[in-house]
Amino acid sequence: MPERQRADARRNHARILAVAEQEVAAHGANASLEQIARVAGVGSATVRRHFPTRRALLEAVSHRRIDALCERARELAGKDDSRAALLEWLGDLLAYCVTARGLANVLTYDAETEAAHQNACSVRIVEAGDPLLRRAVEDGAVSGEVTVADLVTLVVGIALATEHHPDPRGAAERLFALAVAGLSPQR
């Protein structure tokens, strides 16, 4: 947000963001922009002026969680077991996606808009996870064909597929463990 912005515009931005965080937590990525405007005490045009797209609003709402995931990746980078570090970080990403309604939607790839508007949240997550994956690949713990984008897509898919399950976190963790283990029985 520009420093030169008027004080009332800064207050509106902060109020819209605070209300959006509550609404997204309660209703997920499809939270009503009109409801956010009403509760924030501004017009819907004001919401759209600050956040021109739903994705822009969701990215702003998810900013702190993305920061925490990036910091967590840095913390895990020094762990001795590179595979365990990568899986722990992916588990944290999955937990965030399951509990922070709307975050999985922020990390999805939208073919129509990605060329014009780079998804800043996805870029930051991929950059944060890259050192973990590179180290696991160098250690021979993960296939060199895997990308962080592949892993994020897997986590997001699991989170979205289980969001309406009676126990979304349990179901998501089970599917993630299955994906990591693979379909073949242990030998």
Side-chain angles (χ1 to χ4, degrees):
M1 161 163 258
E3 286 294 319
R4 298 178 308 201
Q5 197 168 37
R6 295 185 343 234
D8 63 329
R10 286 193 303 273
R11 281 191 301 274
N12 283 346
H13 185 274
R15 194 167 46 246
I16 292 166
L17 193 52
V19 170
E21 286 175 356
Q22 295 170 351
E23 289 295 314
V24 169
H27 305 288
N30 293 321
S32 166
L33 297 179
E34 288 73 25
Q35 176 68 11
I36 291 168
R38 254 190 312 280
V39 173
V42 299
S44 58
T46 301
V47 171
R48 286 184 177 77
R49 191 169 35 259
H50 287 278
F51 304 101
T53 64
R54 179 175 296 277
R55 178 162 299 230
L57 179 63
L58 290 172
E59 284 186 22
V61 166
S62 300
H63 185 77
R64 280 184 286 217
R65 289 185 182 263
I66 297 294
D67 286 347
L69 286 165
C70 292
E71 178 59 31
R72 184 69 176 134
R74 286 187 288 277
E75 291 170 6
L76 290 168
K79 195 170 183 173
D80 287 340
D81 184 339
S82 60
R83 184 175 191 276
L86 176 64
L87 292 178
E88 189 172 335
W89 181 73
L90 290 170
D92 291 346
L93 176 60
L94 180 64
Y96 272 127
C97 285
V98 170
T99 59
R101 298 188 66 188
L103 180 59
N105 292 74
V106 168
L107 298 176
T108 60
Y109 177 79
D110 183 347
E112 291 181 20
T113 63
E114 289 308 310
H117 171 69
Q118 187 62 264
N119 184 332
C121 291
S122 292
V123 168
R124 290 186 61 215
I125 289 293
V126 168
E127 288 173 352
D130 191 56
L132 294 171
L133 177 60
R134 248 192 341 243
R135 189 163 158 247
V137 168
E138 288 168 4
D139 291 349
V142 174
S143 168
E145 298 173 11
V146 176
T147 68
V148 177
D150 293 337
L151 298 173
V152 170
T153 300
L154 176 67
V155 166
V156 166
I158 289 170
L160 291 173
T162 58
E163 72 180 349
H164 298 295
H165 190 277
D167 176 18
R169 186 168 186 161
E173 288 173 352
R174 181 182 170 283
L175 287 174
F176 181 68
L178 178 64
V180 169
L183 298 175
S184 302
Q186 297 292 329
R187 295 181 196 253

